[in-house]
Amino acid sequence: MCGIIGVISQRNVTPMLLEGLKRLEYRGYDSAGIALTRVGSLEIIRALGKLVELEKKLSETPRIGYTGIGHTRWATHGAPTERNAHPHSSERVAVVHNGIIENHHELRQELEAEGVVFASETDTETVPHLIERELNLGASPEEAALRAVRRLQGAFALGIIFKGEEDLLIAARRGSPLLIGQGDGENFIASDATPLVPYTRRMIYLKDDDVAVLTRESVRVMDLQGRSVSRPILLSNVSAGVADKGPHRHYMLKEIYEQPTMVGETLKGLIHSSARTVDLSRLATGMDLSAVRGMQIVACGTSWHAACVAKYWIEQMTGVPVLVDIASEYRYRQPPPLPDGLMLVISQSGETADTLAALRHAKGLGMKTLAIVNVMESTIAREADGVLYTQAGPEIGVASTKAFTTQLAVLACLSLGMAKAMKKLSPEQETAWVDELMHLPSRMEQVLTHDEAIRAIAAEVMHARGFLYLGRGTCFPIALEGALKLKEISYIHAEGYAAGEMKHGPIALIDKDLPVVVLAPRDRLHDKVMSNLEETRARGGRVLLIAPSLEEGEPVRSAYHIPMIAVGEFSAPMLYVLPLQLLAYHIAVLKGADVDQPRNLAKSVTVE
């Protein structure tokens, strides 16, 4: 959620910290700050609001430092205020923190009893005071940090610097992502690779309860007992140009338009184009899909909608029953293990706290686990028995677009792969389905040509107080996703419903002021959806129909129509979501909303 950057260098790190924070803006934040150590001083500069406010402060009085940490905060404990912004400090220690210190009340009471006066409402401030206490007892900075971290309960990623220690930066991680970038004569820490790739591609991904000691020339990783541990150096494939919006006004629009390419890249690794066959050989050794007799899929937010689509595909192709759970609910209903069952978790970041907890719960029940993630070396990717990667590239916009469609592409291939392994898919059927998948990128490009028409529709419906999205079959989860996109970035209330359920409540909402978005691919449920559309029209609803072009002589039955390519239930979800993304985007832009960084939201939810 929050963003961390830390630099130890022979050059002034202030501009590097600012640039790193800009590259972390997509994670969502309400305040920002940096801490610098230089010539025996420890300086903290913080500001409420966007990074421009922090830049103003730094431009008024330029600061120079050779070791520093920076942070963008998404408020958890304590309101979004300057005094609650990070970094937090004691006399000699400054700390930035992602996550939640669950025992902070106990620690705070303990420290206050010793005379410590707290300046903020945050859980984070306990950390520098714990370290300060150990320094006062004679511990070295390294030992003081170790002792303090051993006291912490909960999830954390920490960056720590010390007054008078210009060649020392300490990092620690449990449950919240943190990695190290190794440069030449300088080293870095960050929440993800995005802010580091302008300086280095050599990354070390810390594991839970790792503590790292960085100097300008060295990196040493140890466990909580201070014993050295080995962590591999990996080359990041994140592009330094990821933060470039190109010709687009917003990252979200750029990422909407990247979907044909990214879906194509994702499919490239999962199918043999010449043989027209599915290839899931990238799954971990020992993953026998033919033996699966039940499947549990767990995810959050947009990824949960992808899971709901997969339920239709997998059950129809394989006959295997599929349960889909929201990750934050899954383990609390105490589900029994599925005999011969497979747990599938889906997460763009691979760090989603609730999804990771669900994965660990399933492993504790003895279930085989498979993950679909977008980030290599993420915690979920490392802990699952098998992994399938989406090739979406870094997604900067908080509202997920290309991560969703690439997840659907992977899930489509997984469905086919399972059916093939179970001998429920003939070679002819496999070829036909793979052909349909291979046509997806070009068909997606064709759908995106409706951008201007969708913008015109957005201008006419932007003042509505609410929206209703209707779909059936594999387009029901797409209706849910369309409603979520509109809520996320335009702040308009919207609901997604199975069209057949409309008469069980939502029909009471329909009047001339309610836009109703109807998804109606020409599949076996098309006529039923069109009947629901007529029920909407009869009550004066303003229908936006997303469906294939009208056949000759077919009456116009909607106020607005976005003509689509005629496809079936298999391809429809990946195509029909595109107009919904564009509709939400254009409404948000016309309303003046912050499309890439909508209020109260964070890109990666790494706390429960």
Side-chain angles (χ1 to χ4, degrees), residues 282-415:
R282 291 192 297 169
L283 283 173
T285 304
M287 183 71 66
D288 184 5
L289 294 178
S290 68
V292 175
R293 296 295 175 264
M295 182 178 283
Q296 173 75 62
I297 312 180
V298 169
C300 296
T302 287
S303 296
W304 180 72
H305 296 154
C308 292
V309 173
K311 175 181 173 69
Y312 286 89
W313 287 336
I314 293 170
E315 289 186 339
Q316 290 172 10
M317 291 185 192
T318 70
V320 170
V322 177
L323 300 173
V324 178
D325 269 275
I326 296 169
S328 57
E329 292 293 322
Y330 166 69
R331 67 191 189 282
Y332 294 115
R333 67 176 176 84
Q334 299 180 319
L338 295 175
D340 298 317
L342 176 66
M343 162 63 89
L344 172 63
V345 299
I346 309 172
S347 167
Q348 186 280 138
S349 67
E351 303 289 351
T352 310
D354 286 313
T355 308
L356 176 59
L359 171 72
R360 289 170 173 169
H361 182 85
K363 288 175 74 74
L365 294 175
M367 293 178 65
K368 278 281 189 181
T369 57
L370 174 64
I372 296 175
V373 300
N374 191 45
V375 181
M376 295 183 67
E377 284 302 307
S378 58
T379 305
I380 289 175
R382 291 197 305 267
E383 294 193 13
D385 297 318
V387 187
L388 289 171
Y389 290 102
T390 56
Q391 301 297 325
E395 190 177 59
I396 303 298
V398 167
S400 183
T401 53
K402 61 179 180 174
F404 178 66
T405 46
T406 54
Q407 286 170 353
L408 289 176
V410 172
L411 288 164
C413 290
L414 176 61
S415 305

Side-chain angles (χ1 to χ4, degrees), residues 460-480:
E460 294 196 26
V461 299
M462 62 178 284
H463 297 297
R465 296 180 62 186
F467 276 69
L468 182 63
Y469 290 72
L470 300 177
R472 297 195 75 158
T474 55
C475 274
F476 165 42
I478 302 306
L480 296 174

Side-chain angles (χ1 to χ4, degrees), residues 121-140:
E121 306 166 88
T122 68
D123 55 329
T124 303
E125 197 184 348
T126 58
V127 180
H129 289 302
L130 282 174
I131 298 172
E132 184 79 35
R133 182 173 66 181
E134 297 300 331
L135 292 174
N136 291 335
L137 293 173
S140 67

